[in-house]
């Protein structure tokens, strides 16, 4: 049985060589105006103050976004967040691409994900999990595994 998995831009065809059960996600109605919905959610969060009231102009801000392998609407989400953070100077905001163990995104991939205007106005960096110099030890898990987090994100 051949199935195309939702992976990358065009999917990933996989031949299982035998019959398998395929579980597909349910369908949902798309939001009519995603930009408006994002702005509303950011201005009316549940259980906390709006981001624009929490962030101060002197704060250092890191926004973690998915890498190019995830089909996330990074550009729309980042634009909505940056609108809410308009009172924070651009040089105090870093966009951190959460690559996990994936390879770093290229400059062209970043432009595709975010738009050239965001790329030129803000510091956009790849998180590289294997680069321990850019991570800070923060503790251990209940099973004794060390935990390190990106320094830019922590700071």
């Amino acid at each position: 049985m051949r199935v195309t998995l939702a992976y990358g831009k065009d999917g990933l065809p996989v031949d299982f060589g035998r019959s398998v059960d395929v579980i597909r996600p349910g369908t949902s109605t798309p939001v009519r105006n995603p930009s408006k919905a994002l702005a509303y959610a950011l201005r009316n969060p549940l259980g906390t103050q709006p981001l624009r009231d929490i962030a101060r102009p002197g704060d250092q801000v890191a926004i973690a976004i998915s890498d190019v392998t995830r089909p996330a609407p990074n550009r729309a989400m980042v634009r909505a967040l940056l609108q809410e953070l308009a009172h924070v100077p651009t040089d105090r905001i870093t966009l951190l691409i959460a690559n996990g163990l994936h390879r770093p995104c290229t400059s062209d991939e970043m432009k595709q994900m975010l738009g050239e205007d965001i790329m030129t106005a803000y510091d956009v960096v790849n998180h590289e999990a294997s680069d321990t110099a850019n991570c800070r030890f923060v503790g251990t898990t209940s099973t004794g595994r060390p935990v390190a987090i990106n320094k830019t994100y922590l700071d």
Side-chain angles (χ1 to χ4, degrees):
M1 177 176 200
R2 190 170 182 81
V3 175
T4 300
L5 302 175
Y7 185 83
K9 291 180 186 175
D10 303 316
L12 177 66
V14 177
D15 188 358
F16 288 99
R18 60 182 174 84
S19 181
V20 296
D21 290 329
V22 177
I23 300 171
R24 299 193 189 279
T27 59
S28 60
T29 305
V31 173
R32 189 178 309 219
N33 186 334
S35 296
K36 189 174 180 178
L38 282 167
Y40 179 83
L42 288 169
R43 292 180 187 149
N44 302 281
L46 302 175
T48 189
Q49 296 176 303
L51 179 61
R52 65 171 43 171
D53 295 343
I54 295 171
R56 307 263 184 258
D59 287 347
Q60 199 67 37
V61 177
I63 300 172
I65 63 171
S66 298
D67 70 0
V68 74
T69 67
R70 307 285 180 235
N74 285 321
R75 187 181 304 208
M77 291 188 296
V78 167
R79 286 190 191 287
L81 286 166
L82 293 175
Q83 243 179 346
E84 295 302 301
L85 295 168
H87 60 288
V88 178
T90 58
D91 65 345
R92 301 199 60 81
I93 299 174
T94 300
L95 302 175
L96 180 64
I97 301 174
N99 296 308
L101 294 175
H102 296 160
R103 65 164 175 76
C105 292
T106 66
S107 180
D108 285 343
E109 289 169 335
M110 290 183 210
K111 285 178 192 171
Q112 176 189 344
M113 289 189 321
L114 298 169
E116 191 159 351
D117 59 328
I118 289 175
M119 283 289 300
T120 56
Y122 295 89
D123 190 21
V124 181
V125 297
N126 280 294
H127 168 66
E128 295 187 53
S130 60
D131 183 1
T132 56
N134 286 321
C135 295
R136 186 176 301 135
F137 174 77
V138 294
T140 57
T141 66
S142 61
T143 59
R145 306 283 266 161
V147 177
I149 297 178
N150 184 282
K151 287 179 183 178
T152 299
Y153 188 76
L154 283 174
D155 294 343

